[in-house]
Amino acid sequence: MGEFVPVITLEELPTEGFKAVEINGRQILVGRAGQQVFACVDRCPHAKRPLRTGKLRGQNLQCAWHGWTFDVLTGHSIPDHPTFRLTQVPIKLEGSQVLVSLSAC
């Protein structure tokens, strides 16, 4: 799965929400949806625009550009359209540190 690198701590993440971080020149969203921590590429697969301006409601992230909604935990669009899925980034937690896989970045 590749090398994992630390990008943010749990304390730096909003309780319900996300932050954009840069890894190897790529923007990644790291956040929380309920008790789950997620990471995905900060690019709408439909509009090709940054998702960081969108709204997270539960585990659903709505793109501010065209209103498409995505499940941040599965990557699926809502309603599901196989062509338009979030690019998820593998993560792991070590204590309060959130690490992401460099192979996805």
Side-chain angles (χ1 to χ4, degrees):
M1 186 170 297
E3 179 185 353
F4 281 83
V5 297
V7 292
I8 199 166
T9 65
L10 291 173
E11 294 79 19
E12 294 174 281
L13 289 177
T15 304
E16 289 286 328
F18 55 85
K19 286 197 173 186
V21 297
E22 186 176 326
I23 305 162
N24 290 350
R26 289 185 69 186
Q27 292 293 320
I28 306 293
L29 298 181
V30 181
R32 295 185 209 217
Q35 298 300 312
Q36 300 285 331
V37 177
F38 68 89
C40 63
V41 173
D42 182 18
R43 182 179 167 122
C44 176
H46 170 250
K48 308 296 187 233
R49 303 285 189 173
L51 286 166
R52 73 182 80 105
T53 58
K55 301 288 183 206
L56 185 66
R57 292 179 183 92
Q59 66 190 58
N60 297 327
L61 175 59
Q62 185 175 38
C63 176
W65 297 93
H66 287 102
W68 277 56
T69 302
F70 303 92
D71 182 320
V72 295
L73 300 181
T74 67
H76 293 223
S77 58
I78 302 168
D80 189 26
H81 191 295
T83 304
F84 302 115
R85 295 207 171 142
L86 294 179
T87 302
Q88 295 182 289
V89 177
I91 65 167
K92 68 180 183 178
L93 300 176
E94 288 184 357
S96 67
Q97 191 71 50
V98 179
L99 296 89
V100 299
S101 173
L102 286 179
S103 64
C105 302

